[in-house]
Amino acid sequence: MIGLDDISMEAQPKTSGTILWLCGWGMPDTVFDRTRELLPDFHHVSVDYSDADSPEEMLLLTEIAVKNFLYSDGDASRTRDFHGPLLIGGWSLGGLLALRLSIKGFADGLVLFGATARFTRSKEESDLGWADIYVRKMIAGLAQNRQDVEAKFRQLIFTEAEWEADLGASLPPIGSWTTSALIAGLQILRSEECLSQLKSITCPVFLVHGAEDRICPYGAASELMAQLPKAKLLTIPASGHAPFLGREGQIANELRRWWHEQQDK
C-alpha cells in the first residue's frame, strides 16, 4: 500500500529548500540522520523502500514522494514559494533514482553520494561498475541466505582503514528491508540506465565520491562529472562507498556552501 504514510516530513522554521533523501540498497533512511541534523535550514523528506514488492513499486514510491511534495497544496509554484526549491539527495541506488527524477524535470538540484548513471557494465568497463552476473548472483543468494548476501555487500562499503576506524558502527542494522524489496532494488540496479540522458540534466549537481569506492568505482563519478552540464565533484580521499559517514560536518558545510553559491548565481 503506497500513500502519505510512506513519506516522512520534518518541518523546520526557515528553509534554504527541501531535500528529498533516497537511500542506498538495503539501507533505512536513518543512515542520513546525522547529516540532516546538521542541515536544520532545510526541510527534509524521505522515502521508505523497505516493503516494496517490485521494481515498479519502488519507482512509483519515488515519484509519489516528489509529487506529494510539489503538489501538496495543488500548486507547485506555491509549494516552492513556501518550502523553497527541491534538492534530491541520493546515495548509490538512491543516486540512480535521483538522476531518473531529474531527467523528468523534478529537481532544482541534485546531491549524489557514491552514485553512478549505470550500475552494471561490460568487462571492459570494470572501472565504472559491476558485471551483471554479480548482481544476478546476489539475487539468487537472497533466497538462500539473505543475511550473508547483505553482510558481504556491506563489507565492501568501507575501506580497510575505515573499518578499523569503526565506521561500520554508523551503519543501521542489517535486515530493515524485506527480501522482495532487496530483489527489487537489485533489479533496478541491473536495468536502470541514465547515462544516455545525462546532458539533459540542466540543474546543478553536487557529487560526493570516495576515491576508493569498490561498489560504484570512482570512474563512475568522473563519467558523471564529464557529462553533467552543471556538476561539481567533491572527492573524499581514502574513502569507500559511504563518503558522508563519519564526515557529516564536512559534508553538511560543503553542501550548504555549494547550494548558496548556486542560488547566488
Side-chain angles (χ1 to χ4, degrees):
M1 185 73 178
I2 302 170
L4 286 172
D5 289 341
D6 294 312
I7 300 156
S8 62
M9 300 189 70
E10 303 169 13
Q12 300 291 346
K14 186 175 175 77
T15 178
S16 299
T18 295
I19 306 178
L20 169 65
W21 295 93
L22 306 178
C23 55
W25 182 76
M27 296 287 173
D29 80 295
T30 54
V31 75
F32 297 123
D33 278 354
R34 180 57 182 156
T35 304
R36 288 186 290 218
E37 287 173 6
L38 295 170
L39 293 167
D41 42 327
F42 289 85
H43 287 286
H44 297 286
V45 185
S46 59
V47 183
D48 181 8
Y49 297 122
S50 63
D51 292 322
D53 289 330
S54 66
E56 294 76 21
E57 184 177 0
M58 193 169 283
L59 295 173
L60 184 59
L61 275 169
T62 311
E63 292 203 15
I64 284 177
V66 173
K67 291 175 180 176
N68 278 345
F69 165 74
L70 287 178
Y71 306 108
S72 59
D73 64 359
D75 187 324
S77 61
R78 285 207 304 271
T79 301
R80 277 194 166 99
D81 285 343
F82 183 75
H83 290 292
L86 176 64
L87 284 77
I88 302 178
W91 174 33
S92 195
L93 169 62
L96 195 54
L97 296 173
L99 287 167
R100 186 176 186 271
L101 291 174
S102 184
I103 289 166
K104 294 190 173 189
F106 289 123
D108 296 307
L110 293 177
V111 180
L112 305 179
F113 303 105
T116 179
R118 182 175 185 176
F119 187 70
T120 54
R121 304 292 182 124
S122 65
K123 288 182 180 180
E124 293 73 30
E125 295 180 314
S126 60
D127 59 330
L128 298 173
W130 284 16
D132 183 63
I133 189 171
Y134 295 138
V135 186
R136 286 190 278 120
K137 285 181 177 179
M138 287 177 69
I139 292 173
L142 286 171
Q144 300 169 0
N145 188 338
R146 55 166 287 171
Q147 179 93 5
D148 185 59
V149 172
E150 287 191 78
K152 286 180 178 177
F153 179 81
R154 287 187 175 214
Q155 192 61 39
L156 298 174
I157 289 177
F158 298 114
T159 65
E160 185 175 335
E162 287 175 324
W163 279 112
E164 290 175 357
D166 202 29
L167 270 189
S170 60
L171 290 178
I174 284 175
S176 64
W177 286 27
T178 65
T179 301
S180 295
L182 293 172
I183 292 172
L186 290 174
Q187 288 173 334
I188 288 174
L189 288 174
R190 290 187 64 203
S191 62
E192 197 65 32
E193 187 275 307
C194 296
L195 190 58
S196 61
Q197 300 178 75
L198 288 180
K199 293 188 186 300
S200 70
I201 298 176
T202 57
C203 68
V205 181
F206 184 46
L207 303 168
V208 182
H209 215 101
E212 298 180 30
D213 194 329
R214 292 184 288 172
I215 293 174
C216 290
Y218 189 77
S222 300
E223 183 179 64
L224 286 167
M225 187 65 187
Q227 298 200 42
L228 288 166
K230 296 181 181 178
K232 175 181 178 178
L233 174 59
L234 173 64
T235 301
I236 307 297
S239 173
H241 188 54
F244 57 96
L245 289 177
R247 306 171 183 86
E248 289 88 350
Q250 176 192 358
I251 298 303
N253 289 336
E254 295 278 2
L255 190 162
R256 184 182 291 108
R257 183 181 302 113
W258 162 80
W259 185 236
H260 288 172
E261 287 173 357
Q262 302 309 312
Q263 292 181 306
D264 290 343
K265 291 178 182 178

